[in-house]
Short mmCIF file of all heavy atoms in Angstrom, two decimals:
data_model
loop_
_atom_site.label_atom_id
_atom_site.label_comp_id
_atom_site.label_asym_id
_atom_site.label_seq_id
_atom_site.Cartn_x
_atom_site.Cartn_y
_atom_site.Cartn_z
N ILE A 161 -15.21 212.03 155.25
CA ILE A 161 -15.59 212.12 156.65
C ILE A 161 -15.47 213.56 157.12
O ILE A 161 -14.95 214.43 156.40
CB ILE A 161 -14.73 211.20 157.54
CG1 ILE A 161 -13.26 211.67 157.54
CG2 ILE A 161 -14.84 209.76 157.09
CD1 ILE A 161 -12.41 211.01 158.60
N ASP A 162 -15.92 213.81 158.34
CA ASP A 162 -15.70 215.11 158.98
C ASP A 162 -14.32 215.03 159.63
O ASP A 162 -14.16 214.51 160.73
CB ASP A 162 -16.78 215.37 160.03
CG ASP A 162 -16.68 216.76 160.65
OD1 ASP A 162 -15.56 217.32 160.67
OD2 ASP A 162 -17.70 217.28 161.13
N ASN A 163 -13.31 215.52 158.94
CA ASN A 163 -11.94 215.35 159.39
C ASN A 163 -11.64 216.11 160.67
O ASN A 163 -10.87 215.63 161.52
CB ASN A 163 -10.97 215.78 158.28
CG ASN A 163 -10.91 214.78 157.15
OD1 ASN A 163 -10.43 213.67 157.32
ND2 ASN A 163 -11.43 215.16 155.99
N ARG A 164 -12.23 217.27 160.84
CA ARG A 164 -12.01 218.02 162.09
C ARG A 164 -12.59 217.26 163.28
O ARG A 164 -11.97 217.21 164.35
CB ARG A 164 -12.64 219.41 161.97
CG ARG A 164 -11.84 220.37 161.09
CD ARG A 164 -12.39 221.80 161.14
NE ARG A 164 -11.55 222.69 160.37
CZ ARG A 164 -11.66 222.89 159.06
NH1 ARG A 164 -12.60 222.22 158.38
NH2 ARG A 164 -10.85 223.72 158.44
N ALA A 165 -13.74 216.66 163.09
CA ALA A 165 -14.34 215.87 164.17
C ALA A 165 -13.47 214.66 164.50
O ALA A 165 -13.34 214.27 165.67
CB ALA A 165 -15.75 215.44 163.79
N ALA A 166 -12.86 214.05 163.48
CA ALA A 166 -11.98 212.90 163.73
C ALA A 166 -10.77 213.34 164.57
O ALA A 166 -10.37 212.64 165.50
CB ALA A 166 -11.52 212.30 162.41
N GLY A 167 -10.20 214.49 164.24
CA GLY A 167 -9.08 215.00 165.02
C GLY A 167 -9.48 215.30 166.46
O GLY A 167 -8.72 215.01 167.40
N ALA A 168 -10.67 215.85 166.63
CA ALA A 168 -11.16 216.13 167.98
C ALA A 168 -11.35 214.85 168.78
O ALA A 168 -11.04 214.79 169.98
CB ALA A 168 -12.47 216.91 167.90
N ASP A 169 -11.84 213.80 168.12
CA ASP A 169 -12.02 212.51 168.80
C ASP A 169 -10.67 211.95 169.27
O ASP A 169 -10.58 211.35 170.35
CB ASP A 169 -12.71 211.52 167.87
CG ASP A 169 -14.19 211.80 167.70
OD1 ASP A 169 -14.72 212.68 168.42
OD2 ASP A 169 -14.82 211.14 166.85
N ALA A 170 -9.64 212.13 168.44
CA ALA A 170 -8.31 211.66 168.83
C ALA A 170 -7.82 212.39 170.07
O ALA A 170 -7.23 211.79 170.98
CB ALA A 170 -7.33 211.84 167.67
N ALA A 171 -8.08 213.71 170.13
CA ALA A 171 -7.67 214.49 171.30
C ALA A 171 -8.40 214.01 172.55
O ALA A 171 -7.79 213.82 173.61
CB ALA A 171 -7.95 215.97 171.05
N ASP A 172 -9.70 213.80 172.43
CA ASP A 172 -10.48 213.32 173.58
C ASP A 172 -9.97 211.98 174.07
O ASP A 172 -9.90 211.71 175.28
CB ASP A 172 -11.96 213.22 173.20
CG ASP A 172 -12.64 214.57 173.06
OD1 ASP A 172 -12.14 215.55 173.63
OD2 ASP A 172 -13.67 214.64 172.35
N PHE A 173 -9.63 211.09 173.12
CA PHE A 173 -9.16 209.76 173.46
C PHE A 173 -7.86 209.84 174.28
O PHE A 173 -7.72 209.16 175.31
CB PHE A 173 -8.93 208.96 172.18
CG PHE A 173 -8.43 207.57 172.40
CD1 PHE A 173 -9.30 206.53 172.67
CD2 PHE A 173 -7.07 207.29 172.32
CE1 PHE A 173 -8.84 205.24 172.87
CE2 PHE A 173 -6.59 206.00 172.51
CZ PHE A 173 -7.49 204.97 172.79
N LEU A 174 -6.93 210.66 173.85
CA LEU A 174 -5.65 210.77 174.56
C LEU A 174 -5.82 211.44 175.91
O LEU A 174 -5.24 211.01 176.91
CB LEU A 174 -4.65 211.53 173.69
CG LEU A 174 -4.15 210.76 172.46
CD1 LEU A 174 -3.41 211.69 171.50
CD2 LEU A 174 -3.24 209.61 172.87
N LEU A 175 -6.63 212.49 175.96
CA LEU A 175 -6.86 213.18 177.24
C LEU A 175 -7.53 212.25 178.26
O LEU A 175 -7.22 212.28 179.45
CB LEU A 175 -7.71 214.43 177.02
CG LEU A 175 -7.03 215.59 176.27
CD1 LEU A 175 -8.04 216.70 175.99
CD2 LEU A 175 -5.84 216.12 177.06
N ALA A 176 -8.45 211.41 177.77
CA ALA A 176 -9.15 210.49 178.67
C ALA A 176 -8.20 209.47 179.29
O ALA A 176 -8.52 208.87 180.32
CB ALA A 176 -10.26 209.77 177.91
N ARG A 177 -7.04 209.29 178.69
CA ARG A 177 -6.06 208.35 179.22
C ARG A 177 -4.94 209.06 179.99
O ARG A 177 -3.87 208.51 180.22
CB ARG A 177 -5.50 207.50 178.08
CG ARG A 177 -6.48 206.38 177.73
CD ARG A 177 -6.49 206.01 176.27
NE ARG A 177 -7.56 205.02 176.07
CZ ARG A 177 -8.86 205.36 175.96
NH1 ARG A 177 -9.25 206.62 176.06
NH2 ARG A 177 -9.78 204.43 175.77
N GLY A 178 -5.23 210.28 180.39
CA GLY A 178 -4.30 211.03 181.23
C GLY A 178 -3.11 211.60 180.50
O GLY A 178 -2.15 212.05 181.13
N ILE A 179 -3.15 211.61 179.17
CA ILE A 179 -2.04 212.16 178.39
C ILE A 179 -2.39 213.62 178.07
O ILE A 179 -3.14 213.91 177.13
CB ILE A 179 -1.82 211.35 177.10
CG1 ILE A 179 -1.51 209.89 177.45
CG2 ILE A 179 -0.70 211.95 176.26
CD1 ILE A 179 -1.48 208.96 176.26
N ASP A 180 -1.91 214.53 178.90
CA ASP A 180 -2.35 215.92 178.79
C ASP A 180 -1.43 216.78 177.95
O ASP A 180 -1.68 217.98 177.78
CB ASP A 180 -2.51 216.54 180.19
CG ASP A 180 -1.22 216.49 181.00
OD1 ASP A 180 -0.21 215.95 180.48
OD2 ASP A 180 -1.23 216.98 182.15
N ARG A 181 -0.37 216.20 177.39
CA ARG A 181 0.52 216.96 176.51
C ARG A 181 0.85 216.14 175.25
O ARG A 181 2.01 215.89 174.94
CB ARG A 181 1.81 217.35 177.23
CG ARG A 181 1.62 218.37 178.34
CD ARG A 181 1.20 219.73 177.76
NE ARG A 181 1.17 220.76 178.81
CZ ARG A 181 0.11 221.01 179.57
NH1 ARG A 181 -1.01 220.28 179.41
NH2 ARG A 181 0.14 221.96 180.47
N PRO A 182 -0.17 215.70 174.51
CA PRO A 182 0.11 214.92 173.30
C PRO A 182 0.66 215.81 172.19
O PRO A 182 0.47 217.02 172.19
CB PRO A 182 -1.26 214.35 172.93
CG PRO A 182 -2.23 215.36 173.45
CD PRO A 182 -1.62 215.89 174.72
#
Side-chain angles (χ1 to χ4, degrees):
I161 65 168
D162 185 334
N163 286 292
R164 285 187 176 85
D169 285 353
D172 287 337
F173 180 84
L174 289 168
L175 290 174
R177 280 147 186 80
I179 301 171
D180 58 359
R181 292 293 186 272

